[in-house]
């Protein structure tokens, strides 16, 4: 719906999207390659770590709600992260950019902001 790439699967079409959305927020911070706008998730989003979806880059099934092993923080990833070359291409690809932009737009369109600074 309104997606110019018909063969791409967006998480915005996922059955659980409306439940996941309120737990997401955008974090802006310095990155190696310029400002980054990461899609982070609250601790409550942990209950969604079992959700599976297709990677927008390669179509492989992955878990978009991920927990950082080192920090224990939760984030949302539009692409797979199997640690192989393909995953790297997914992460840096145009499809990832398009999907992340769409998700960030949806987050900004939320009526209430989560408390980012608690
Ligand atoms: Zn992928």
């Amino acid at each position: 719906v309104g997606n110019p790439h018909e063969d791409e699967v967006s998480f915005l079409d996922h059955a659980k999207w409306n439940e996941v959305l309120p737990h997401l927020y955008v974090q802006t911070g310095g990155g190696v390659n310029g400002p980054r706008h990461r899609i982070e998730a609250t601790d409550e989003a942990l209950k969604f770590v079992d959700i599976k979806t297709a990677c927008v880059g390669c179509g492989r099934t992955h878990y978009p709600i991920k927990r950082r092993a080192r920090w224990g923080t939760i984030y949302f990833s539009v692409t797979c992260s199997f640690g192989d070359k393909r995953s790297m291409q997914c992460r840096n690809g145009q499809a990832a950019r398009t999907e992340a932009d769409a998700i960030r737009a949806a987050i900004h369109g939320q009526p209430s902001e989560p408390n980012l600074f608690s």
Side-chain angles (χ1 to χ4, degrees):
V1 183
N3 189 340
H5 309 282
E6 285 176 24
D7 55 340
E8 280 178 18
V9 180
S10 171
F11 194 70
L12 275 71
D13 296 324
H14 194 281
K16 291 281 186 186
W17 167 242
N18 285 328
E19 291 178 49
V20 173
L21 175 60
H23 302 290
L24 302 180
Y25 62 94
V26 176
Q27 187 166 73
T28 306
V32 181
N33 301 310
R36 298 182 60 181
H37 304 277
R38 294 190 305 264
I39 301 168
E40 301 285 321
T42 65
D43 287 347
E44 281 177 49
L46 261 186
K47 62 185 170 190
F48 298 115
V49 290
D50 289 335
I51 288 182
K52 294 179 200 169
T53 192
C55 169
V56 295
C58 65
R60 287 185 290 183
T61 299
H62 77 122
Y63 299 91
I65 310 283
K66 300 183 204 289
R67 182 177 198 153
R68 293 185 181 89
R70 188 169 175 189
W71 309 105
T73 50
I74 324 295
Y75 67 104
F76 183 91
S77 176
V78 300
T79 57
C80 61
S81 51
F82 296 106
D84 57 12
K85 195 180 172 190
R86 189 74 211 264
S87 288
M88 217 156 66
Q89 291 171 338
C90 292
R91 195 172 65 221
N92 297 320
Q94 182 57 46
R97 215 162 302 160
T98 303
E99 172 79 349
D101 281 348
I103 287 176
R104 280 191 290 263
I107 292 170
H108 288 310
Q110 286 189 98
S112 61
E113 292 269 40
N115 189 353
L116 303 184
F117 306 108
S118 60

